[in-house]
Amino acid sequence: MNVTFISPMYNAAEHLPDLISSLKEQSLKNWRHIIIDDISSDNSYEVAKKLTEDDERFEVRKNTVKKYALKNVVEVAREFQDDPENIIAVLDADDALCNENTVKILLNEYK
């Protein structure tokens, strides 16, 4: 099983270091994180790209039209709807995982 975290973001540059480091610190490594920039007017997209460039589990996308958080999440979740081994978790861009075992806890709950 894998966990896919989806984070829609809008002007979240200042929060991204905490979000991204909380994922990189996970004890289990079978996760991916898709960050969707929803036409931020700050440098969120550039910050996200820079902070994740050394880790292929991250994917940073940039919208060309405004979609708002829910539509961003639904569109990405649909990409994985036929994968029964994938758990979808939504993280707002100003969130962070509470400890290094969050992925482990999620996987244990879905066994």
Side-chain angles (χ1 to χ4, degrees), residues 13-52:
E14 66 183 287
H15 302 288
L16 292 174
D18 290 336
L19 170 66
I20 291 166
S21 67
S22 76
L23 281 152
K24 287 183 175 183
E25 293 167 0
Q26 289 301 295
S27 59
L28 295 180
K29 305 301 181 195
N30 53 331
W31 55 267
R32 80 186 96 193
H33 187 205
I34 300 172
I35 304 169
I36 309 108
D37 181 62
D38 202 20
I39 310 182
S40 295
S41 60
D42 68 357
N43 64 337
S44 293
Y45 178 78
E46 292 78 15
V47 169
K49 289 293 279 184
K50 181 68 175 164
L51 292 172
T52 62

Side-chain angles (χ1 to χ4, degrees), residues 35-80:
I35 304 169
I36 309 108
D37 181 62
D38 202 20
I39 310 182
S40 295
S41 60
D42 68 357
N43 64 337
S44 293
Y45 178 78
E46 292 78 15
V47 169
K49 289 293 279 184
K50 181 68 175 164
L51 292 172
T52 62
E53 67 188 358
D54 64 339
D55 193 328
E56 64 186 22
R57 295 172 296 178
F58 290 92
E59 180 182 345
V60 183
R61 301 177 182 182
K62 186 172 187 148
N63 288 342
T64 56
V65 296
K66 186 80 174 158
K67 295 184 181 179
Y68 301 96
L70 184 58
K71 187 171 183 180
N72 283 308
V73 170
V74 169
E75 284 181 358
V76 174
R78 283 185 178 146
E79 295 173 24
F80 301 100

